[in-house]
Amino acid sequence: YWFAPVLGFDSSIINAQATAAWGAPTGGTAVLPLTFSYCEFLAQTGGLVPSGTTERTIYFTKSSGVLDCTGPSRNVVPGGFGWLTVNSGSCNTVTIISGIVQSDPGNSVPSSCSTSDLVALRGETVLLPIFDQVNGTGNDATYRVYGYAAFAITGYHFGGQYSWSNPCGGNARCIRGYFTKFTGVSDTFDFGASAPNLGVSLVKLIN
């Protein structure tokens, strides 16, 4: 106290209490509109997260070397490379577990994404939707979201000006980094106890 000591009160005990809830993400806004298959996730991690901080270069379908995940055609979705349609005027996409999300066809970064959007993600850990089912081809292709995994970005090559640290080159499209365990607060994702646990736990103060 500043003034109470003149009355003989130097301090007092204050009791405080807060309630928090946590769980795996059930849906939200991904700042990188990219998805990988659950098969690819297992191939990179062995199903264990964290699987270490060893950097891996993950190639998009069509140039992926994990044939068990892509099949002989090397394309899980004909005409699709893993890019998702984005919210109008942005470089992010909203998804939900068991929800269907539209593919952004071709190997180019979605048109409303800018170089600065990708630069802002350098060295960051982002939550990526992981899919377990696909349907359709080209503009009509869709992915079904299985869950969300955290990926630490250490490099990428998406073509042209969308390159950093050059983990691959030419016509290949890839991202380098590693899937990792992540616990934190996110205002852009919801969570629940029934969501698949791919190493991500979100915390929120509820009282």
Side-chain angles (χ1 to χ4, degrees), residues 7-202:
L7 302 176
F9 299 101
D10 293 320
S11 63
S12 62
I13 297 174
I14 297 176
N15 294 313
Q17 180 176 309
T19 302
W22 67 87
T26 57
T29 302
V31 294
L32 179 61
L34 183 64
T35 185
F36 287 113
S37 70
Y38 184 55
C39 178
E40 186 78 54
F41 172 80
L42 292 177
Q44 298 296 330
T45 65
L48 301 175
V49 178
S51 58
T53 58
T54 300
E55 295 180 2
R56 295 176 171 85
T57 298
I58 304 178
Y59 287 82
F60 292 9
T61 59
K62 202 62 177 176
S63 53
S64 172
V66 187
L67 294 183
D68 289 342
C69 296
T70 63
S73 71
R74 294 182 180 268
N75 235 13
V76 177
V77 172
F81 286 73
W83 292 114
L84 303 175
T85 55
V86 296
N87 303 330
S88 178
S90 76
C91 189
N92 52 53
T93 188
V94 176
T95 60
I96 188 171
I97 282 182
S98 298
I100 304 301
V101 58
Q102 199 80 22
S103 166
D104 187 275
N107 65 359
S108 299
V109 174
S111 59
S112 63
C113 292
S114 67
T115 304
S116 60
D117 288 324
L118 276 297
V119 168
L121 300 180
R122 294 178 178 181
E124 297 295 321
T125 297
V126 297
L127 299 189
L128 296 178
I130 303 297
F131 69 87
D132 62 353
Q133 293 182 21
V134 298
N135 189 42
T137 62
N139 290 324
D140 297 321
T142 59
Y143 303 92
R144 192 186 79 156
V145 178
Y146 171 76
Y148 297 90
F151 190 82
I153 303 172
T154 61
Y156 54 77
H157 176 69
F158 302 146
Q161 72 271 35
Y162 301 105
S163 294
W164 170 52
S165 198
N166 298 321
C168 64
N171 292 324
R173 299 293 182 266
C174 66
I175 189 168
R176 184 172 64 201
Y178 51 90
F179 287 104
T180 184
K181 187 173 183 179
F182 177 84
T183 301
V185 178
S186 175
D187 294 329
T188 59
F189 275 84
D190 297 321
F191 59 86
S194 61
N197 188 348
L198 303 183
V200 178
S201 295
L202 300 181

